[in-house]
Amino acid sequence: EYQWKGPFYFIQGADPQFGLMKAWTHGDTNNGDDEWEEEIKLAEQAVQAINKLNPKPKFFVLCGDLVHGMPGTRWKKSQEQDLKDVLKNTDQDIPLVFVSGNHDIGNTPTRETIDDYCKNWGDDYFSFWVGGVFFLVLNSQLYFDSSKCPELRQAQDAWLDEQLAVAVNQKCRHIIVFQHIPLFLSRPDEDDDYFNLSKSVRQEIMEKFHKAGIRAVFAGHYHRNAGGSYKGLEMVVSSAIGCQLGQDTHGLRVVVVTEEKVLHRYYSLTQLGSHGLDKELLDMLAKQN
Protein backbone atom coordinates (compact mmCIF):
# COMPACT_ATOMS: atom_id res chain seq x y z
CA GLU A 1 0.00 0.00 0.00
CA TYR A 2 2.98 2.33 -0.47
CA GLN A 3 1.64 3.49 -3.83
CA TRP A 4 -0.89 6.25 -4.39
CA LYS A 5 -3.89 4.69 -6.18
CA GLY A 6 -6.36 7.55 -6.14
CA PRO A 7 -8.74 9.14 -3.63
CA PHE A 8 -10.22 7.13 -0.77
CA TYR A 9 -11.91 7.78 2.56
CA PHE A 10 -12.06 6.43 6.08
CA ILE A 11 -14.35 6.91 9.08
CA GLN A 12 -13.19 8.36 12.37
CA GLY A 13 -15.21 7.84 15.54
CA ALA A 14 -14.30 8.69 19.12
CA ASP A 15 -15.41 8.04 22.68
CA PRO A 16 -18.14 5.40 22.49
CA GLN A 17 -17.31 5.34 26.23
CA PHE A 18 -19.85 2.79 27.46
CA GLY A 19 -21.06 3.93 30.90
CA LEU A 20 -20.42 7.68 30.78
CA MET A 21 -23.97 8.79 29.96
CA LYS A 22 -25.45 7.48 33.20
CA ALA A 23 -22.37 8.48 35.24
CA TRP A 24 -22.59 12.01 33.83
CA THR A 25 -26.33 12.36 34.42
CA HIS A 26 -25.95 11.13 38.01
CA GLY A 27 -22.93 13.31 38.68
CA ASP A 28 -20.83 10.32 39.72
CA THR A 29 -18.16 9.76 37.07
CA ASN A 30 -16.16 7.41 39.32
CA ASN A 31 -18.79 4.79 40.14
CA GLY A 32 -21.97 5.71 38.32
CA ASP A 33 -21.22 3.77 35.14
CA ASP A 34 -23.26 0.65 35.89
CA GLU A 35 -25.59 1.04 32.87
CA TRP A 36 -24.73 1.60 29.21
CA GLU A 37 -27.79 0.54 27.21
CA GLU A 38 -27.96 3.90 25.50
CA GLU A 39 -24.32 3.74 24.39
CA ILE A 40 -24.83 0.21 23.03
CA LYS A 41 -27.66 1.52 20.82
CA LEU A 42 -25.53 4.45 19.59
CA ALA A 43 -22.58 2.17 18.78
CA GLU A 44 -24.95 -0.18 16.92
CA GLN A 45 -26.31 2.78 14.99
CA ALA A 46 -22.73 3.81 14.09
CA VAL A 47 -21.87 0.31 12.83
CA GLN A 48 -25.10 0.07 10.80
CA ALA A 49 -24.46 3.47 9.21
CA ILE A 50 -20.89 2.48 8.26
CA ASN A 51 -21.96 -0.90 6.85
CA LYS A 52 -24.42 0.79 4.47
CA LEU A 53 -21.86 3.15 2.93
CA ASN A 54 -21.01 2.75 -0.73
CA PRO A 55 -18.19 2.79 -1.70
CA LYS A 56 -16.87 1.25 1.52
CA PRO A 57 -14.48 3.19 3.74
CA LYS A 58 -10.90 1.88 3.83
CA PHE A 59 -11.11 1.50 7.63
CA PHE A 60 -12.93 2.66 10.76
CA VAL A 61 -10.74 4.20 13.46
CA LEU A 62 -11.95 4.69 17.05
CA CYS A 63 -9.91 7.42 18.75
CA GLY A 64 -9.97 6.20 22.32
CA ASP A 65 -12.15 5.98 25.43
CA LEU A 66 -13.72 2.81 24.16
CA VAL A 67 -15.42 2.37 27.54
CA HIS A 68 -15.83 4.56 30.62
CA GLY A 69 -14.53 2.16 33.29
CA MET A 70 -10.95 2.95 34.27
CA PRO A 71 -8.48 0.04 34.61
CA GLY A 72 -9.41 -2.16 37.57
CA THR A 73 -12.92 -0.75 38.01
CA ARG A 74 -15.96 -2.88 38.50
CA TRP A 75 -17.73 -2.66 35.15
CA LYS A 76 -14.80 -2.29 32.75
CA LYS A 77 -14.66 -5.90 31.51
CA SER A 78 -18.43 -6.07 30.87
CA GLN A 79 -18.35 -2.74 29.06
CA GLU A 80 -15.48 -3.94 26.86
CA GLN A 81 -17.24 -7.20 26.06
CA ASP A 82 -20.43 -5.38 25.08
CA LEU A 83 -18.50 -3.01 22.81
CA LYS A 84 -16.73 -5.94 21.14
CA ASP A 85 -20.09 -7.64 20.58
CA VAL A 86 -21.34 -4.54 18.76
CA LEU A 87 -18.15 -4.05 16.72
CA LYS A 88 -18.15 -7.69 15.58
CA ASN A 89 -21.00 -6.72 13.28
CA THR A 90 -18.85 -4.27 11.32
CA ASP A 91 -18.59 -5.34 7.67
CA GLN A 92 -15.71 -7.86 7.37
CA ASP A 93 -14.13 -5.73 4.61
CA ILE A 94 -13.80 -2.67 6.86
CA PRO A 95 -10.79 -3.04 9.19
CA LEU A 96 -11.08 -1.61 12.69
CA VAL A 97 -8.29 0.56 14.09
CA PHE A 98 -8.17 1.20 17.85
CA VAL A 99 -6.51 4.10 19.65
CA SER A 100 -5.97 4.04 23.43
CA GLY A 101 -7.64 6.72 25.55
CA ASN A 102 -7.24 7.76 29.18
CA HIS A 103 -10.17 5.58 30.28
CA ASP A 104 -8.66 2.59 28.46
CA ILE A 105 -5.24 2.71 30.13
CA GLY A 106 -5.70 5.18 33.01
CA ASN A 107 -4.86 8.88 33.42
CA THR A 108 -1.44 7.81 34.68
CA PRO A 109 -0.84 4.58 32.76
CA THR A 110 1.42 1.79 33.98
CA ARG A 111 3.08 -1.05 32.11
CA GLU A 112 0.32 -3.34 33.43
CA THR A 113 -2.60 -1.18 32.25
CA ILE A 114 -1.00 -0.77 28.83
CA ASP A 115 -0.29 -4.53 28.56
CA ASP A 116 -3.91 -5.24 29.44
CA TYR A 117 -5.10 -2.81 26.75
CA CYS A 118 -2.79 -4.42 24.16
CA LYS A 119 -4.12 -7.91 24.95
CA ASN A 120 -7.66 -6.63 24.46
CA TRP A 121 -7.46 -4.19 21.56
CA GLY A 122 -4.02 -4.44 19.91
CA ASP A 123 -0.87 -2.33 20.09
CA ASP A 124 -1.02 1.04 21.84
CA TYR A 125 1.04 2.60 19.04
CA PHE A 126 1.71 1.43 15.48
CA SER A 127 1.75 2.56 11.86
CA PHE A 128 0.13 1.38 8.64
CA TRP A 129 -0.12 2.35 4.98
CA VAL A 130 -3.24 2.80 2.88
CA GLY A 131 -2.91 3.74 -0.79
CA GLY A 132 0.30 5.76 -0.50
CA VAL A 133 -0.73 7.46 2.75
CA PHE A 134 1.14 6.78 5.99
CA PHE A 135 -0.91 6.56 9.19
CA LEU A 136 0.47 6.72 12.73
CA VAL A 137 -1.48 5.71 15.84
CA LEU A 138 -0.02 7.15 19.05
CA ASN A 139 -0.56 6.56 22.75
CA SER A 140 -1.20 10.18 23.82
CA GLN A 141 -1.43 9.17 27.48
CA LEU A 142 2.35 8.76 27.46
CA TYR A 143 2.57 12.48 26.58
CA PHE A 144 0.01 13.38 29.25
CA ASP A 145 1.60 11.58 32.21
CA SER A 146 4.24 8.88 31.83
CA SER A 147 5.49 9.19 35.43
CA LYS A 148 4.81 5.50 36.17
CA CYS A 149 6.32 4.18 32.92
CA PRO A 150 8.94 6.69 31.64
CA GLU A 151 10.71 3.96 29.66
CA LEU A 152 7.55 3.38 27.59
CA ARG A 153 7.36 7.07 26.72
CA GLN A 154 11.02 6.95 25.60
CA ALA A 155 10.32 3.85 23.52
CA GLN A 156 7.39 5.51 21.75
CA ASP A 157 9.47 8.65 21.08
CA ALA A 158 12.32 6.64 19.57
CA TRP A 159 9.88 4.58 17.48
CA LEU A 160 8.10 7.73 16.25
CA ASP A 161 11.38 9.30 15.08
CA GLU A 162 12.20 6.11 13.15
CA GLN A 163 8.74 6.01 11.58
CA LEU A 164 8.92 9.63 10.46
CA ALA A 165 12.30 8.92 8.85
CA VAL A 166 10.74 5.97 6.99
CA ALA A 167 7.88 8.16 5.79
CA VAL A 168 10.29 10.74 4.37
CA ASN A 169 12.25 8.05 2.50
CA GLN A 170 9.14 6.43 1.08
CA LYS A 171 7.88 9.77 -0.29
CA CYS A 172 4.37 9.14 0.99
CA ARG A 173 1.48 11.23 -0.29
CA HIS A 174 0.35 12.37 3.20
CA ILE A 175 1.08 11.51 6.81
CA ILE A 176 -1.90 11.40 9.17
CA VAL A 177 -1.84 10.86 12.95
CA PHE A 178 -4.49 9.41 15.29
CA GLN A 179 -4.38 9.96 19.04
CA HIS A 180 -6.90 10.38 21.85
CA ILE A 181 -5.96 13.68 23.52
CA PRO A 182 -5.81 16.66 21.14
CA LEU A 183 -2.59 18.66 20.92
CA PHE A 184 -4.85 21.71 21.32
CA LEU A 185 -8.57 22.48 21.00
CA SER A 186 -8.55 25.69 18.96
CA ARG A 187 -5.22 27.54 19.26
CA PRO A 188 -1.68 26.13 19.40
CA ASP A 189 -0.82 28.55 22.24
CA GLU A 190 -3.94 28.01 24.38
CA ASP A 191 -3.59 27.37 28.11
CA ASP A 192 -3.16 23.87 29.52
CA ASP A 193 -6.44 22.11 30.12
CA TYR A 194 -7.77 18.64 30.97
CA PHE A 195 -8.69 18.32 27.29
CA ASN A 196 -5.34 19.18 25.66
CA LEU A 197 -1.65 18.34 26.05
CA SER A 198 0.48 20.68 28.18
CA LYS A 199 2.15 23.55 26.33
CA SER A 200 5.74 22.34 26.73
CA VAL A 201 4.97 18.84 25.40
CA ARG A 202 2.57 20.21 22.77
CA GLN A 203 5.11 22.64 21.31
CA GLU A 204 7.71 19.92 20.90
CA ILE A 205 5.28 17.51 19.23
CA MET A 206 3.75 20.16 16.93
CA GLU A 207 7.19 21.21 15.75
CA LYS A 208 8.23 17.59 15.17
CA PHE A 209 5.00 16.91 13.22
CA HIS A 210 5.37 20.13 11.23
CA LYS A 211 8.97 19.31 10.24
CA ALA A 212 7.93 15.81 9.19
CA GLY A 213 5.23 17.25 6.94
CA ILE A 214 2.31 15.69 8.83
CA ARG A 215 -0.92 16.90 7.29
CA ALA A 216 -3.47 16.30 10.06
CA VAL A 217 -3.92 14.94 13.58
CA PHE A 218 -7.32 13.42 14.43
CA ALA A 219 -8.35 13.10 18.08
CA GLY A 220 -11.36 12.75 20.38
CA HIS A 221 -11.48 13.14 24.20
CA TYR A 222 -13.35 16.49 24.15
CA HIS A 223 -16.86 15.10 23.41
CA ARG A 224 -17.39 18.18 21.18
CA ASN A 225 -16.14 19.17 17.74
CA ALA A 226 -13.20 21.57 17.72
CA GLY A 227 -9.88 22.19 16.01
CA GLY A 228 -7.38 24.61 14.56
CA SER A 229 -4.03 24.62 12.81
CA TYR A 230 -0.32 25.09 13.42
CA LYS A 231 1.92 25.98 10.44
CA GLY A 232 -0.20 23.95 8.02
CA LEU A 233 -0.74 21.03 10.43
CA GLU A 234 -4.47 20.64 11.03
CA MET A 235 -5.72 19.55 14.47
CA VAL A 236 -9.14 17.90 14.11
CA VAL A 237 -11.10 17.18 17.29
CA SER A 238 -14.18 15.01 16.77
CA SER A 239 -17.16 14.75 19.07
CA ALA A 240 -18.29 11.46 20.57
CA ILE A 241 -20.32 8.52 19.37
CA GLY A 242 -21.43 8.35 23.04
CA CYS A 243 -22.02 11.07 25.63
CA GLN A 244 -22.05 14.67 24.34
CA LEU A 245 -20.62 17.38 26.60
CA GLY A 246 -21.54 20.22 24.23
CA GLN A 247 -24.13 20.97 21.55
CA ASP A 248 -22.97 18.43 18.94
CA THR A 249 -24.87 15.32 17.93
CA HIS A 250 -23.72 11.72 18.38
CA GLY A 251 -21.73 11.25 15.19
CA LEU A 252 -18.84 10.14 13.02
CA ARG A 253 -16.35 11.99 10.85
CA VAL A 254 -15.90 11.11 7.20
CA VAL A 255 -12.35 11.84 6.00
CA VAL A 256 -11.65 11.98 2.27
CA VAL A 257 -8.03 11.80 1.16
CA THR A 258 -7.24 13.17 -2.30
CA GLU A 259 -3.84 13.60 -3.93
CA GLU A 260 -3.61 17.19 -2.71
CA LYS A 261 -5.84 17.38 0.35
CA VAL A 262 -7.32 15.77 3.44
CA LEU A 263 -10.96 16.89 3.73
CA HIS A 264 -13.41 15.93 6.43
CA ARG A 265 -17.00 16.37 7.50
CA TYR A 266 -18.77 15.45 10.73
CA TYR A 267 -22.10 13.66 10.30
CA SER A 268 -24.72 12.82 12.90
CA LEU A 269 -25.30 9.05 13.13
CA THR A 270 -28.85 9.55 11.82
CA GLN A 271 -27.70 11.64 8.87
CA LEU A 272 -24.93 9.22 7.85
CA GLY A 273 -27.24 6.23 8.31
CA SER A 274 -30.10 7.62 6.26
CA HIS A 275 -28.32 9.67 3.55
CA GLY A 276 -24.75 8.35 3.37
CA LEU A 277 -22.03 10.59 1.95
CA ASP A 278 -22.75 13.97 0.34
CA LYS A 279 -22.60 14.13 -3.44
CA GLU A 280 -19.65 16.52 -3.19
CA LEU A 281 -17.56 13.91 -1.32
CA LEU A 282 -18.68 11.12 -3.64
CA ASP A 283 -17.59 13.21 -6.63
CA MET A 284 -14.13 13.65 -5.13
CA LEU A 285 -13.83 9.90 -4.59
CA ALA A 286 -14.87 9.24 -8.18
CA LYS A 287 -11.98 11.28 -9.58
CA GLN A 288 -9.50 8.52 -10.29
CA ASN A 289 -6.03 9.86 -11.04
Side-chain angles (χ1 to χ4, degrees):
E1 292 268 332
Y2 290 138
Q3 303 301 315
W4 175 254
K5 299 198 179 71
F8 63 87
Y9 80 103
F10 62 86
I11 301 289
Q12 181 217 6
D15 304 88
Q17 206 157 341
F18 283 20
L20 176 59
M21 288 170 95
K22 177 170 183 243
W24 190 258
T25 317
H26 285 242
D28 179 3
T29 50
N30 292 329
N31 309 299
D33 59 333
D34 58 346
E35 284 175 26
W36 49 91
E37 278 305 310
E38 218 172 330
E39 283 99 338
I40 289 176
K41 288 191 187 111
L42 290 162
E44 286 173 344
Q45 201 184 342
V47 167
Q48 286 158 8
I50 291 168
N51 286 348
K52 277 168 85 178
L53 293 170
N54 185 20
K56 288 186 201 310
K58 287 286 188 184
F59 59 88
F60 172 29
V61 58
L62 273 171
C63 282
D65 281 3
L66 305 173
V67 301
H68 182 67
M70 286 281 188
T73 56
R74 185 170 174 193
W75 307 107
K76 188 177 183 67
K77 289 278 172 259
S78 313
Q79 290 167 354
E80 289 184 327
Q81 190 51 56
D82 282 353
L83 177 60
K84 286 180 182 177
D85 289 344
V86 173
L87 292 173
K88 277 176 192 157
N89 296 316
T90 312
D91 186 308
Q92 299 281 293
D93 295 330
I94 304 171
L96 294 167
V97 177
F98 296 107
V99 182
S100 62
N102 56 308
H103 282 263
D104 306 311
I105 58 177
N107 285 322
T108 305
T110 63
R111 186 175 277 279
E112 290 70 37
T113 64
I114 291 175
D115 282 350
D116 186 59
Y117 170 86
C118 294
K119 281 193 200 91
N120 255 306
W121 301 103
D123 292 338
D124 60 322
Y125 58 89
F126 56 97
S127 64
F128 60 98
W129 287 84
V130 174
V133 177
F134 191 47
F135 292 93
L136 292 160
V137 169
L138 297 179
N139 178 345
S140 56
Q141 224 47 43
L142 294 173
Y143 294 130
F144 189 79
D145 182 359
S146 61
S147 56
K148 289 190 179 162
C149 52
E151 72 289 356
L152 297 183
R153 158 86 194 261
Q154 287 159 356
Q156 176 171 262
D157 284 345
W159 171 86
L160 179 58
D161 290 340
E162 282 167 19
Q163 295 292 309
L164 293 175
V166 166
V168 170
N169 289 340
Q170 285 286 358
K171 302 199 175 20
C172 54
R173 184 63 57 191
H174 304 292
I175 310 172
I176 293 173
V177 172
F178 299 119
Q179 57 190 55
H180 178 61
I181 303 181
L183 297 168
F184 56 89
L185 297 172
S186 54
R187 297 190 332 277
D189 61 348
E190 69 197 17
D191 291 340
D192 296 359
D193 188 301
Y194 171 75
F195 289 112
N196 62 20
L197 290 178
S198 71
K199 270 184 171 173
S200 52
V201 176
R202 182 196 317 166
Q203 189 55 43
E204 189 187 328
I205 300 171
M206 289 189 310
E207 207 35 50
K208 180 183 280 192
F209 284 4
H210 163 66
K211 287 203 174 98
I214 289 172
R215 179 57 66 97
V217 177
F218 289 88
H221 189 50
Y222 191 43
H223 295 255
R224 286 158 278 214
N225 287 311
S229 62
Y230 172 81
K231 298 184 180 174
L233 165 73
E234 190 181 5
M235 181 68 242
V236 184
V237 185
S238 293
S239 197
I241 292 172
C243 189
Q244 300 299 314
L245 301 185
Q247 301 308 306
D248 294 297
T249 52
H250 306 281
L252 294 164
R253 193 172 291 277
V254 172
V255 187
V256 173
V257 184
T258 71
E259 195 159 9
E260 302 303 326
K261 295 185 180 129
V262 177
L263 302 139
H264 50 86
R265 190 163 297 164
Y266 186 82
Y267 287 83
S268 74
L269 296 180
T270 315
Q271 196 185 5
L272 193 63
S274 54
H275 300 298
L277 305 188
D278 292 359
K279 183 176 185 306
E280 186 192 348
L281 296 183
L282 288 169
D283 288 348
M284 281 176 186
L285 292 168
K287 285 183 184 150
Q288 285 306 320
N289 300 349

